[in-house]
Amino acid sequence: MENIETGLLLMIVGMTTVFAILLIVINLGKGLIVLVNKYAPEEIIVKKQVTPQRQAAASVPATGITNQTTAAIVSAVSVVTGGKGKVVKIEKL
């Protein structure tokens, strides 16, 4: 019976120690994140706005499609993709 009590005591002490050390590691990690964000913030990159007409003129080759059609296609792609899409090539099928 004494061996079981000793084993349970060692188990409780060991698990408590591991839990305490994990809490310390978590809190030190959070503190490190706060310090890094405070003293070395991420650089903000400003993107240059490109109008759909300029984008169409710069990226779409001449394929016999009118400028109005090209502008409509570029505008539709911009609306559907939320400004993240880019028309690279227009082909007539």
Side-chain angles (χ1 to χ4, degrees):
M1 214 46 190
E2 186 178 324
N3 289 336
I4 292 177
E5 291 176 4
T6 305
L8 288 174
L9 180 64
L10 284 173
M11 183 182 71
I12 291 171
V13 169
M15 292 179 80
T16 305
T17 305
V18 169
F19 184 73
I21 290 173
L22 286 175
L23 286 177
I24 291 170
V25 168
I26 290 169
N27 288 326
L28 285 175
K30 287 182 181 180
L32 180 63
I33 290 170
V34 169
L35 284 175
V36 168
N37 287 337
K38 183 177 180 181
Y39 292 111
E42 185 176 340
E43 294 180 15
I44 298 174
I45 300 171
V46 179
K47 291 186 178 181
K48 192 167 77 172
Q49 291 285 343
V50 178
T51 61
Q53 289 79 16
R54 284 188 184 172
Q55 181 182 8
S59 62
V60 179
T63 59
I65 299 174
T66 65
N67 288 338
Q68 291 176 342
T69 306
T70 303
I73 292 170
V74 170
S75 297
V77 169
S78 178
V79 168
V80 170
T81 62
K84 295 180 182 178
K86 181 180 178 184
V87 177
V88 177
K89 185 176 181 183
I90 298 175
E91 287 184 311
K92 203 169 193 179
L93 297 177

